[in-house]
Amino acid sequence: MRAIDIIMKKRGTKVRDANGNQILASSTTLTKEEIKFLIDEYTAGRIPDYQMSAFTMAVYFNGMNFEETGALTDAMLHSGDVIELHGKDGLPENEIYVDKHSTGGVGDKISLPLAPIVAACGVMDPMMSGRALGHTGGTLDKLESIEGFNVNLTEEQFRAGIKKDGFAMMGQTPNVAPADKKMYALRDVTATVESVPLITSSILSKKVAEGADALVFDVKYGSGAFMKTIPDSEELATFLVKTAQAMGKKATAFMTAMNTPLGRMVGNFLEIEETVECLQGKGPADVMELTYALGAEMVLLAGKAESEEEARKMCEDAVSSGKALEIFLANVKTQGGNPEKLMAEIGKRRSQFHTQVLAEKDGYIKLDAFKTGLASVYLGVGRNKSDDKVCPDAGIIMHKKTGDCVKKGELILDVYGKDEACLPQAVKMLTEEALSYSETKPHSDQLIYKIIK
Ligand code: URA
């Protein structure tokens, strides 16, 4: 087999129609063996970056069907370690291990309250998360804002955490899907990130590697999402579900709105704080709603409830009984943090570099997710370069949300920066780009647009 022949098959050939116009003939479907050859040889360094770039560009233009996407995911998955949970280190053999994956957003801290809630319902959740990417936040950065919290777990520690608390939170080990690491870095600089089969295989190869048997996807759409439009988001959601199912996993995707930030807080420790509020049953309505909806689906997929109503009630009871908060704090302790210190910091731990945004006029406000996310990166919540350090205490508290009516001079945002110097520019971004006013109430999105199974 040769890489060039595989590239040529996926590229297809240009032909002329009866009028002499040049058209691109459809490319040929690749076999499992061809895809495996390409990924194995690329991971081993025997296929160079320039050939893989040509291949990803061919996929960008000609796509892949579900079978090809499944074969690509499988090859990428087996390029590295796959964590085994069943019957290992005392974990149950016949359990259905379930996890959730979000395509990322602004203020999206759902994983943090979700894991202990479903754990309180008896679900076992192997949660492997990522860091802040672009304008979106990252679960690992949020967890690391808890002093001492260790996300660099070994496989043994990961399994021990799941056995003890029902879930554990870790970052990817260097050997999870190494093919994806190489390919993602290449796609990033060859304009081939925005391809549904490539995104699907990238996400799924990492998710399946963590050992989950069932997956719930939260596929965002809107300004703060990776997929801006509903059709693009639906295409990705469908690909994720069908490819996961083709790989023998149970899967459901929720398409959810990300035109405005989720909840009232954007930041690392601030989102831990909002998590605690949720687990105390007093979180913002949108965060509670999405957490319960995704949680109920995880409980159902794990086989811990007979109906959606029962699963939802179990999640609500986990919060009202205090059990989910207890499990969250137990996990903080298991992973090296100090739960008492954490609880003592709630509502008090703030960056000293602070300013406020007040309403410039009367009216209904709209807060754009993407622009708010960009301002939060500027404040130090995320990174401009991959080796930047994030600031645990930077962030934004939103006292008003899209659709709220304000009076001139009313407090809309508390803004916390990594230093004094970042504040004026961040406020400029928030007031001139993220925030807008109208005389009539703006359209508000349906939080959960569609569920795909
Ligand atoms: N997130 C991933 O993990 N991979 C992609 O290709 C895009 C988003």
Side-chain angles (χ1 to χ4, degrees), residues 2 16 36 56 119 138 178 190 242 261 293 297 364 371 378 400:
R2 294 190 315 157
R16 290 189 189 279
K36 184 166 163 40
T56 56
T190 54
K242 293 217 169 175
E297 186 64 18
Y364 290 96
K371 304 287 188 186
Y378 208 83
K400 300 284 174 191

Side-chain angles (χ1 to χ4, degrees), residues 195-220:
S195 150
V196 166
L198 295 179
I199 297 170
T200 301
S201 54
S202 168
I203 291 175
L204 265 187
S205 60
K206 291 173 287 199
K207 273 286 144 188
V208 175
E210 71 184 19
D213 305 300
L215 292 162
V216 175
F217 298 103
D218 180 1
V219 182
K220 307 279 186 203

Side-chain angles (χ1 to χ4, degrees), residues 40-59:
D40 286 354
E41 294 298 292
Y42 178 61
T43 311
R46 288 187 290 268
I47 287 178
D49 280 350
Y50 54 79
Q51 284 190 306
M52 185 51 88
S53 310
F55 175 74
T56 56
M57 190 58 87
V59 173

Side-chain angles (χ1 to χ4, degrees), residues 83-85 88-92 97 115-116 119-120 122-127 149-170 326-336:
I83 295 180
E84 184 51 68
L85 301 174
K88 284 270 275 191
D89 293 337
L91 282 174
Y97 296 90
V123 175
M124 292 199 142
D125 180 357
M127 193 166 266
F149 198 103
N150 176 25
V151 295
N152 300 313
L153 305 182
T154 62
E155 274 191 40
E156 289 70 27
Q157 288 170 323
F158 190 51
R159 284 191 285 263
I162 298 168
K163 182 163 180 269
K164 181 178 165 292
D165 302 320
F167 74 97
M169 310 270 211
M170 74 182 279
E326 202 180 293
I327 294 179
F328 174 76
L329 295 174
N331 166 258
V332 167
K333 189 157 186 194
T334 306
Q335 298 204 210

